[in-house]
């Protein structure tokens, strides 16, 4: 029933039988399909056939539907709603970040855009919350700020006269926006809040913009808080779009917020190309495996570090006890010698 409901809204959706016929008509696709687990096969068939909704945060889906080069209005709408300011994307910047290769490989999606006023916005999607997210995010934000500085320096030099008009006032604010599908521990401790906005403040009330703002969005916490609740605002509609694969919720979303329907149409049109969508789904599975392994390594390393610290404390306590015992032994020996001396008189 649910599949028929979705198909009535998105007639381009193929049936499970049509998809399987396409897969088994090509040996390469059949081999790839049969290399997946039964659950992975079911997941693929479910979202392609409309039995379940599409997971928008899959890398290829997210990049396609939110691509600022193809249709900037979508990302502009999201950023305008999120930042509470009118956003028009002026330029899409290449992702030539200086961050380490192993760091960038952990990201599911990483889009950097320059807004009309020169502000940089970095939108990241992370399926697994990283260990030490604060330290990593601070490094990413600093990387963007350095890029902003370099661009401002380049633009300040007059190409004719060579005169340098640079001022630090030329550097605009940078935003680091992170969508967590599975939030890190720190965010999970804030169960009453699914969105966190950060900027530097001073304990004296001093007003000074240090140009680096952070927005962390916990989609898993959003889902738990919004369960069986009406979606009243456009911001919450965006969060629902990013986080739900429930067909009934999708139908409710596009009914209350019709601007999301063309986005789903884009995604379901992608699903008609079975070979392409199988390719990126397979890559998504590999990426998830890599991220899970890396996350497990981080978790194990944290546990090892914690145990080492505990052992070091115990070693220090044992060393302190050994010193105290040695001092007591020395005192006892001294007293025994004194006692022997008294007896000999």
């Amino acid at each position: 029933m649910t599949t028929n409901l979705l198909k009535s809204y998105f007639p381009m959706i193929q049936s499970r039988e049509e998809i399987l016929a396409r897969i088994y008509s090509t040996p390469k696709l059949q081999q790839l399909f049969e290399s997946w687990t039964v659950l992975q096969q079911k997941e693929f068939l479910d979202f392609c056939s409309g039995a379940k909704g599409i997971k928008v945060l899959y890398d290829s889906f997210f990049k396609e539907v939110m691509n600022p080069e193809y249709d900037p209005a979508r990302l502009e709408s999201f950023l305008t709603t999120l930042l509470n300011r009118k956003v028009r994307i002026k330029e899409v910047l290449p992702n030539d970040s200086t961050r380490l290769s192993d760091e960038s490989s952990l990201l599911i999606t990483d889009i950097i855009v320059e807004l009309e006023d020169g502000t940089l916005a970095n939108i990241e999607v992370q399926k697994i919350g990283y260990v030490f997210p604060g330290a990593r995010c601070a490094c990413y934000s600093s990387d963007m700020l350095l890029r902003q500085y370099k661009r401002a320096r380049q633009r300040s030099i007059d190409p004719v006269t060579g005169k340098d008009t640079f001022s630090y006032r030329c550097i605009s604010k940078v935003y680091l926006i992170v969508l967590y599908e599975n939030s890190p521990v720190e965010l999970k401790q804030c169960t009453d809040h699914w969105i966190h906005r950060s900027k530097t403040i001073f304990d004296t009330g001093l007003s000074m913009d240090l140009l680096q703002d952070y927005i962390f969005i916990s989609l898993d916490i959003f889902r738990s808080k919004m369960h069986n609740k009406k979606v009243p605002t456009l911001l919450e509609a965006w969060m629902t779009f990013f986080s739900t694969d429930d067909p009934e919720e999708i139908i409710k979303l596009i009914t209350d917020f019709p601007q999301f329907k063309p986005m789903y149409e884009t995604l379901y049109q992608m699903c008609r190309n079975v070979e392409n969508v199988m390719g990126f789904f397979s890559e998504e599975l590999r990426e998830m495996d890599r991220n899970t392994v890396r996350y497990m390594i981080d978790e194990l390393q944290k546990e090892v570090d914690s145990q080492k610290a505990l052992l070091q404390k115990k070693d220090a306590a044992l060393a302190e006890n050994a010193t105290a015992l040695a001092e007591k032994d020395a005192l006892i020996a001294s007293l025994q010698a004194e006692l022997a001396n008294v007896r000999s008189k």
Side-chain angles (χ1 to χ4, degrees):
M1 178 180 177
T2 304
T3 303
N4 292 336
L5 283 176
L6 270 179
K7 191 170 177 62
S8 69
Y9 285 89
F10 307 105
M12 71 284 291
I13 291 178
Q14 302 176 92
S15 69
R16 185 177 296 253
E17 291 72 26
E18 289 174 317
I19 298 166
L20 285 171
R22 175 72 183 92
I23 290 172
Y24 281 95
S25 68
T26 307
K28 184 176 75 171
L29 297 185
Q30 178 180 347
Q31 182 180 13
L32 178 59
F33 184 73
E34 292 178 349
S35 70
W36 300 340
T37 67
V38 172
L39 287 177
Q40 290 166 348
Q41 292 174 0
K42 182 179 184 303
E43 180 181 358
F44 176 80
L45 292 172
D46 280 352
F47 74 71
C48 281
S49 67
K52 294 199 73 174
I54 288 177
K55 291 186 176 179
V56 178
L57 290 191
Y58 278 172
D59 187 37
S60 295
F61 281 146
F62 185 90
K63 286 179 177 176
E64 181 70 19
V65 77
M66 299 301 290
N67 192 317
E69 294 179 314
Y70 298 163
D71 191 342
R74 293 172 179 176
L75 190 56
E76 287 172 352
S77 172
F78 170 58
L79 293 176
T80 294
T81 306
L82 184 64
L83 302 179
N84 263 328
R85 51 177 284 194
K86 181 64 178 176
V87 170
R88 186 177 74 84
I89 295 170
K90 175 182 176 183
E91 184 180 356
V92 181
L93 303 182
N95 192 352
D96 58 354
S97 169
T98 56
R99 60 182 77 169
L100 297 175
S101 59
D102 64 331
E103 290 290 315
S104 61
S105 69
L106 289 169
L107 298 173
I108 301 299
T109 291
D110 188 9
I111 299 174
I112 300 176
V113 295
E114 182 186 20
L115 310 182
E116 190 171 22
D117 64 354
T119 299
L120 293 186
N122 185 193
I123 300 95
E124 295 187 357
V125 174
Q126 300 178 1
K127 287 188 177 292
I128 301 175
Y130 299 161
V131 179
F132 309 122
R136 281 192 170 101
C137 289
C139 290
Y140 298 173
S141 178
S142 298
D143 182 59
M144 283 197 297
L145 193 60
L146 178 60
R147 175 184 293 201
Q148 186 88 283
Y149 168 78
K150 289 178 178 178
R151 289 170 64 81
R153 292 299 311 225
Q154 291 170 353
R155 291 172 175 175
S156 68
I157 299 175
D158 189 301
V160 178
T161 65
K163 183 179 179 181
D164 189 349
T165 60
F166 174 77
S167 165
Y168 280 98
R169 290 187 176 86
C170 299
I171 304 176
S172 301
K173 182 187 294 293
V174 296
Y175 290 93
L176 179 66
I177 302 163
V178 185
L179 298 166
Y180 290 102
E181 189 174 48
N182 183 14
S183 301
V185 174
E186 293 87 343
L187 272 64
K188 283 183 176 176
Q189 292 173 350
C190 303
T191 54
D192 291 333
H193 303 280
W194 55 267
I195 186 167
H196 307 267
R197 304 175 188 269
S198 168
K199 61 174 60 182
T200 303
I201 60 173
F202 295 87
D203 59 359
T204 59
L206 172 67
S207 178
M208 183 181 293
D209 190 352
L210 297 186
L211 302 181
Q212 292 171 280
D213 283 8
Y214 303 86
I215 302 177
F216 298 156
I217 298 171
S218 297
L219 292 173
D220 48 352
I221 296 175
F222 170 81
R223 296 293 305 148
S224 65
K225 289 190 69 66
M226 294 299 293
H227 183 64
N228 289 332
K229 293 183 180 178
K230 181 178 175 60
V231 176
T233 69
L234 183 55
L235 179 59
E236 288 167 326
W238 273 109
M239 299 304 108
T240 302
F241 175 67
F242 290 140
S243 63
T244 190
D245 63 353
D246 183 287
E248 293 184 1
E249 291 183 11
I250 290 172
I251 292 170
K252 186 72 169 66
L253 176 65
I254 62 176
T255 302
D256 294 341
F257 298 89
Q259 61 266 49
F260 288 94
K261 186 177 180 182
M263 302 185 205
Y264 282 108
E265 289 173 343
T266 297
L267 297 174
Y268 282 119
Q269 198 61 47
M270 286 180 67
C271 288
R272 292 191 62 82
N273 189 328
V274 175
E275 183 172 355
N276 279 357
V277 81
M278 285 185 71
F280 83 68
F281 180 69
S282 188
E283 178 57 35
E284 184 80 21
L285 294 177
R286 285 193 293 270
E287 191 66 44
M288 288 170 65
D289 286 343
R290 285 193 291 266
N291 288 345
T292 301
V293 169
R294 181 59 184 271
Y295 181 73
M296 290 173 64
I297 290 172
D298 282 348
E299 286 292 293
L300 287 171
Q301 186 62 54
K302 186 168 68 171
E303 186 178 339
V304 167
D305 292 342
S306 176
Q307 289 176 349
K308 282 183 178 178
L310 185 61
L311 287 173
Q312 286 173 351
K313 285 183 180 179
K314 288 181 177 179
D315 288 343
L318 287 172
E320 187 176 334
N321 288 339
T323 301
L325 288 172
E327 289 174 353
K328 288 178 181 178
D329 286 341
L331 179 60
I332 290 172
S334 174
L335 290 173
Q336 287 176 336
E338 186 177 340
L339 180 59
N341 187 44
V342 169
R343 284 176 177 172
S344 65
K345 290 181 179 180

